Each structure stands twice: as structure tokens, then as C-alpha cells.
Amino acid sequence: MNNADFQPVCREALDPRHHAGPGVIPRTEGVRPSIGRLEGAFHREVGHLFQGRAVRAIAAIGLIATISAVLLGCAPAGQDDAPSPKVEAPFAVGNTTLFIHDPSRGFDEAAGVATGLRILITEVWYPLRHGAIDGSVRRAVHGDYVFGDRAVHELMMTQTTFFHLTSDTVIGGIDPAAIDAAIDELFSRPRNSITDAPIDAQAGPFPVVVMTHGDAGSRYNMETVCEHLAANGYVVIAPEHTGNSPYSMIGRDPALAAGGGTGDEIMQLAEVVELLDERGVYGSPDNHGQSYTPLGADRSSPVFLQGLDAALLQRVQDLRATLDELRRMNGEGFFADALDLERIGLMGRSFGGATTLAALALEARFTAGMAVAAPSTPDLRARLPAEALAPAGAESVILSADGAYGLGGIDKPTFLLSGAEDTLIIGLAANMAEVAGSPPPTPDNPHPVLRTAFEQSQVPAVWALLDNANHATFGVSGAYWWPHLKPNRFPRHFDPDTHYELIGAELAHRIQRDKALAFFDLTIRQDPTARDRLIDDRYEADGLQLEWRNL
């Protein structure tokens, strides 16, 4: 679907000479390990594949290192919060990168691209046995997320809708050289995982959680939670939603090299090549690296809502493809017999939080979900003309003519985590409430649609609201990486004359990952002892308001 809010970008054909051969990624010269920590984000957001197949891409960036163990819960540089104790987790953490294919759909149908086949760059975090790491593997670095391409890394940091680090998003007195140096340092900053080390298969099979990123997000947007879950015995898989993830490096899929694919897929892959630029990237700086976005000026118009519904459905289909791929992965290869797929968790942030609610409603294979900073928009169907709704029987998230509203109810175990100062989400909800004639956000109830869903839930549900937390607080991007460069004082949403100090990123992420682990231990592992960890009040003094139902 094409409309004013979902515009496809202009693309140049990819010269086949720029393709690496199967399994070959150009090596980055001069990558140096650096000491660095991570911190929370400044991110503008609101906020698919049936028969998948993946080709593992082995990144080749940096120097081989000898790693003793992977410790999680690192405090960001310059963070004033007292760090959490360095307790060794049950497992070290491994990571690998896959490309999932769905030949049943076009490459980016939400943006009107029906040619080719759907391809998703996908990250997997998984448990490793402590002490089993030798010199044949290396510690992952952030540059792996862009396959060692520094130019694309810089685009990701400066030319997206959330502008990780630019002159107008930093504190005063920071010169351009310091910004450039910070961006360069992040490229080679070590992650808390080891690339392509063997999974600890003897300790499996492991429960699985799927992660879905937000608008203009990437597979690393909940990295701290993904690593923490893996260190505690989960496999976490995170597909990027191509078209809604900036500067997607689809050209690094080995299947696109000459001779890749079989049968009809050969033609489909050739059509994908034509959509990429000379670096193998899908997405133009003219559109901040995306082919479409769920943002729009008139969010109540039928055209916008139809585009939003199409985007959500494409994302749900991506998650279905990921589920299909998990089944294949468990049958052969690297993850054979290592996955427990009986009960599967789902989590997402921002538009990924909305996607989580939608997929819990539409896809039976998901057991429970955690929606972080999710948009909470009211049901507008009664105010739309009948022709704007999806036909009876057709799958829809927000426009079903005869089904439930996919973002307004809870029918599976759900954890809702939001920020009390999330101006982006609160502002969106206020705008939509005015259109719908529904209760607007208030200081006592800043997220009314989600709150109503929680209060009406007949299944296990947890409500968590964190004081002094904004839309960026739980994400992994700008302020999380560079707390010394980013502002941390903001006007309160309901009292703009009063300013607050943003909760420290290390503390916010510790809360998020601790509660995520407890929630999935209770609902996916079905460990009854996790209930106490989930609902304890240890973070009450830090501003976490916690309620629960039907646990």
C-alpha cells in the first residue's frame, strides 16, 4: 500500500560485483577493542514470513580474542547509579546472524514492493558453557550489526528518525570532533557475547523468546534483555522488520551472490538485488533509511489507519516466519534439538510493543508476551466508514469488521512496562483520545488504553510504570551508549514548568531485564518460584509502580 505516510524510497540497482560470496563478509581493518559501557536512548517512534529459510552469515570483524566469561549488567560509563553485583550468570552468551527468507510474500509489501521475496536480517543470542570458549572464536563488537561497514554505521548514528548522536541531540559544549570520535568508538566496542561459538547443547533444550524492535529500530534495540535471557538459559531470536528498520543491509545475505537459490527463488532473489543500492543497502537517507513509517500527520484518517494496519500485519507475518524458522533450526544444523518450542515468549518495545500485543492476539504459537513502551491508541472503528474496515473474515489488527481490536485487550499472559514521562506515547494517546472521544491520559493514568486492558484482563497480567522514565529509557541507542554526551533533564509531560532528572540507564535496564527474566521464567518455563521475583518490591524506592492480576 502506498500513501502519503508509507512512501517507497528510490533505489539504485546493486552491482553484482559488490556481492560477497556465500558466507564471505569483507574483513574490517584496524578494529580495536575498547572499554566502554552502554546507556538508554533518544528515539522517535510510534509505535512477517510463513515458510522461512535462513542462511547463517558468519561475521568476520575484529581481532580474535580469548574470552574467559561473559558478564552481564555492565554499568554505562559516567553512570551515577551503583552497579549491580557482578554475579556470574549460569551461562556465557553466544550470538549469530541469520537471513530468513519467505518466498510466499513480496520483499516489502507494506511499502508497495510486491516483487522479490521477503528477507529478514536476524540475530540470535543463546547459552554457552562457561570455560568452553577457546581462541577459535571472538567477542562480538557493535560493528557486527552493520557487517563491518563503517559508512552504514555512521548513517545509522546520524541519519535516522531517532538521530542517535548529532549536534542538536547532545549537551552543550560538545564539538563535532567529539561526536565523530564517539561514533567511531562505538563501532568497535565489545558486546557481551561471543560470535558463533557452539551452543551448550547438553544443557538444553532451551526455552525461546522472540524479540520485535520498534519503528526505525534494529535487532539490537533490546540487546541488554536479550543477552540477560540468554545468560540465564534462553534462546532469543530477533528479526529486523525490513523496510521499517533503517539502512537494512540485505545485500550481505550470501544467497544473493551469483548462483544463490534454487528454482523460482533465483528469479525472486534477482528482483531483490534490483531494490538495493551500491552497498547492498535497502533504504535511502531521503527517507531516513526506511521505506515506510507508521508516523503520520493525520493519525485518524482511514488511509493512515489502513497503512498502520498493513504495517502491523507485515510485522506479525515476520514473526510467524521466525516461528517457522525456529522449527527448521531445531531439526538440523547449529541449533538441532537445542530448542524447546512448546511454549514461546514474545517481547517488543515501542512499535514492537504494539506488535507484541497484535501477535499475541493473532498467533496461537505465542504463549506470553512483554510489551515495553507500547503505543496505547483507542479503537476508532466506530468512527470510520464501513469501506475503510477490513472485510469480514480478513485478518486485521486494528480494522477488523467482525473481530476484536488487536491493541486493546489481553487474552494471554502479558507484562506491560511503560514510562510515566513517555511524552511520545502519552502525546499520541491524547491526540487519538480526542478523536475517539475516549478518556485522555492524565497524571494518574498516563496510558489509559493499556490500563483498561490490564484492569479487564481475565488472564495473568502485570502492570509496571516507572517514574522519571521517557520513551528512550528502556531502549539501546544514543543515551545508552553515550550518557556523558546526552541530556538527562526534561520537562514533565503534565507539568512542563517542572523538570525531572531521567532515571539512570543502568538502573532502568536492570529493572527491565530482571522483570523480563522473572516473567518468562513464570510463564514460559512455568517455574512457580519466579512469581516472587516478578512481583517483589525491591525497585519500589526507585520509582517502579507494580501491580498484577490473576497470577
Side-chain angles (χ1 to χ4, degrees), residues 51-288:
Q51 299 167 351
R53 181 174 65 83
V55 184
R56 271 194 328 120
I58 301 176
I61 307 169
L63 304 174
I64 293 176
T66 301
I67 309 297
S68 59
V70 180
L71 298 178
L72 301 180
C74 302
Q79 181 63 46
D80 292 333
D81 297 318
S84 54
K86 294 292 193 298
V87 178
E88 186 177 79
F91 298 92
V93 179
N95 73 278
T96 193
T97 306
L98 318 172
F99 291 85
I100 296 177
H101 291 181
D102 179 11
S104 72
R105 290 187 295 147
F107 182 72
D108 188 7
E109 293 180 357
V113 181
T115 59
L117 74 165
R118 186 84 171 141
I119 301 177
L120 307 178
I121 305 174
T122 303
E123 199 77 8
V124 186
W125 292 265
Y126 53 89
L128 304 179
R129 181 169 61 84
H130 285 298
I133 301 166
D134 59 29
S136 66
V137 295
R138 64 173 183 84
R139 187 169 183 171
V141 295
H142 185 85
D144 294 349
Y145 287 123
V146 290
F147 302 94
D149 192 317
R150 286 179 180 268
V152 175
H153 171 69
E154 184 171 355
L155 286 173
M156 291 286 289
M157 298 300 108
T158 62
Q159 296 294 322
T160 66
T161 59
F162 44 86
F163 302 114
H164 285 313
L165 202 66
T166 56
S167 60
D168 57 347
T169 65
V170 297
I171 59 177
I174 304 298
D175 61 33
I179 292 175
D180 292 342
I183 291 173
D184 187 61
E185 181 274 331
L186 178 65
F187 182 82
S188 53
R189 187 184 297 184
R191 291 156 52 184
N192 293 318
S193 58
I194 309 302
T195 297
D196 292 310
I199 190 171
D200 188 358
Q202 292 184 345
F206 299 106
V208 174
V209 174
V210 180
M211 191 280 280
T212 168
H213 65 73
D215 171 52
S218 301
R219 60 197 190 276
Y220 56 73
N221 283 166
M222 295 185 74
E223 179 188 60
T224 57
V225 184
C226 296
E227 291 173 342
H228 188 64
L229 290 174
N232 284 276
Y234 287 80
V235 170
V236 184
I237 185 167
E240 288 188 357
H241 299 289
T242 304
N244 197 217
S245 181
Y247 306 106
S248 186
M249 301 188 71
I250 297 297
R252 297 306 178 98
D253 183 351
L256 291 177
T262 59
D264 293 341
E265 195 175 71
I266 295 176
M267 180 64 70
Q268 290 178 303
L269 290 170
E271 291 173 340
V272 169
V273 169
E274 295 299 316
L275 301 171
L276 310 179
D277 71 10
E278 69 279 357
R279 303 188 76 89
V281 170
Y282 181 67
S284 163
D286 294 339
N287 278 27
H288 301 293

Side-chain angles (χ1 to χ4, degrees), residues 316-532:
V316 171
Q317 292 289 64
D318 285 349
L319 298 181
R320 285 170 168 159
T322 302
L323 294 173
D324 291 342
E325 181 57 30
L326 284 166
R327 187 75 59 185
R328 188 205 65 78
M329 289 164 58
N330 205 34
E332 60 182 8
F334 194 80
F335 293 97
D337 299 321
L339 309 179
D340 180 355
L341 301 179
E342 290 304 308
R343 300 174 64 84
I344 299 175
L346 176 62
M347 65 180 181
R349 176 185 162 273
S350 192
F351 199 36
T355 305
T356 295
L357 297 175
L360 290 174
L362 295 177
E363 175 49 58
R365 287 175 288 180
F366 287 119
T367 301
M370 179 177 184
V372 180
S376 50
T377 56
D379 186 352
L380 296 177
R381 290 176 295 175
R383 296 178 175 268
L384 297 175
E387 58 270 20
L389 302 179
E395 190 169 55
S396 173
V397 178
I398 61 173
L399 295 177
S400 175
D402 57 351
Y405 180 66
L407 301 182
I410 294 175
D411 59 7
K412 292 177 182 176
T414 302
F415 188 111
L416 300 170
L417 175 60
S418 302
E421 297 291 342
D422 191 338
T423 292
L424 183 74
I425 298 302
I426 297 171
L428 170 64
N431 175 270
M432 300 296 275
E434 183 177 0
V435 173
S438 59
T442 66
D444 293 331
N445 187 9
H447 306 288
V449 174
L450 290 181
R451 180 68 192 185
T452 298
F454 165 74
E455 291 177 347
Q456 295 178 351
S457 174
Q458 300 300 308
V459 299
V462 179
W463 172 267
L465 186 67
L466 184 60
D467 293 341
N468 298 331
N470 64 14
H471 193 64
T473 292
F474 300 110
V476 173
S477 55
Y480 192 85
W481 295 316
W482 306 291
H484 58 297
L485 300 179
K486 305 289 282 187
N488 69 344
R489 288 187 60 80
F490 301 93
R492 292 201 178 278
H493 181 83
F494 294 103
D495 183 12
D497 293 332
T498 302
H499 286 65
Y500 70 96
E501 184 172 326
L502 195 66
I503 187 171
E506 197 280 331
L507 174 58
H509 279 251
R510 190 194 319 158
I511 292 170
Q512 179 179 222
R513 63 181 182 253
D514 285 356
K515 294 305 182 182
L517 177 61
F519 174 74
F520 288 123
D521 279 352
L522 180 63
T523 59
I524 303 301
R525 276 200 174 116
Q526 296 188 289
D527 175 6
T529 67
R531 181 181 184 275
D532 290 342

